[in-house]
Amino acid sequence: MALLPDSSHPADCPAPAAEQANEAIRALVDATGQDWSAVQAATYEVLLIEWAAATRGGSDIIEAA
């Protein structure tokens, strides 16, 4: 049985969680440029995982160690 897409969001419109993660990624990059500390790099990785999960429509976020 195939799942139908969420009708509350058009297929080309990102989910709110994806938009929030994307904005957080943009804010991090804008605030820090490309020379990141280990903490900033880890924060980026977590945000990227959250964004990817949100764009897939899943909630299978893997916790970073």
Side-chain angles (χ1 to χ4, degrees):
M1 172 187 234
L3 296 176
L4 298 175
D6 181 2
S7 61
S8 64
H9 295 285
D12 61 344
C13 177
E19 290 175 13
Q20 290 173 347
N22 190 38
E23 287 302 314
I25 290 169
R26 286 180 189 266
L28 176 67
V29 172
D30 287 346
T32 60
Q34 294 181 357
D35 188 23
W36 294 348
S37 69
V39 171
Q40 291 164 329
T43 299
Y44 172 77
E45 288 182 33
V46 170
L47 290 170
L48 190 58
I49 291 168
E50 290 175 0
W51 174 84
T55 58
R56 285 194 313 264
S59 59
D60 55 340
I61 296 175
I62 301 169
E63 290 188 29

